[in-house]
Amino acid sequence: MLGPVNHVLEPDDTFTQQETQFGDFRLLSTPSNTPGSSSFLYRSPLGRTYLFVGNTLTRDHHRWITVLVSESNLHELQQSLEFYRKRRPDVVLLSTTSGHLS
């Protein structure tokens, strides 16, 4: 279990492009349920494409959902979801909770 946060730092750098290439990884600006969200797209040497979406998407009883919070921008979220669709990944990896949202 993690302890309390006792120090917060501002980022050293930010990116403004929708896609930035880092070797086999692409950093994707995907504002969604929280401002400034990003995702990663990786194409493996075997040809499979992996999309790491963080907490933008999750599964709830075998269906895809997103969780909106007060800072959510619905228009940007819709754009990010369309951006995901166009990438057509083979595998989508989530970083969400377990239980009824898994």
Side-chain angles (χ1 to χ4, degrees):
M1 177 172 221
L2 297 175
V5 174
N6 59 15
H7 190 72
V8 177
L9 297 174
E10 291 297 318
D12 292 334
D13 199 4
T14 60
F15 64 99
T16 56
Q17 299 171 310
Q18 189 162 24
E19 284 190 50
T20 303
Q21 184 87 26
F22 293 101
D24 292 333
F25 279 88
R26 289 179 186 255
L27 175 60
L28 311 171
S29 173
T30 51
S32 55
N33 62 329
T34 53
S37 293
S38 57
S39 303
F40 298 92
L41 190 68
Y42 172 71
R43 184 164 177 86
S44 78
L46 301 176
R48 293 182 63 93
T49 304
Y50 298 84
L51 178 62
F52 301 82
V53 297
N55 69 350
T56 301
L57 291 172
T58 190
R59 298 282 292 172
D60 183 25
H61 302 289
H62 308 290
R63 63 187 176 113
W64 293 101
I65 65 166
T66 190
V67 178
L68 299 176
V69 295
S70 60
E71 299 87 19
S72 298
N73 180 315
L74 188 56
H75 177 71
E76 287 181 343
L77 173 61
Q78 290 170 330
Q79 287 180 320
S80 293
L81 294 175
E82 184 58 33
F83 190 69
Y84 289 160
R85 280 186 202 99
K86 288 179 182 178
R87 298 299 169 277
R88 302 188 57 80
D90 296 303
V91 179
V92 176
L93 299 157
L94 318 169
S95 65
T96 55
T97 61
S98 62
H100 76 284
L101 291 178
S102 62

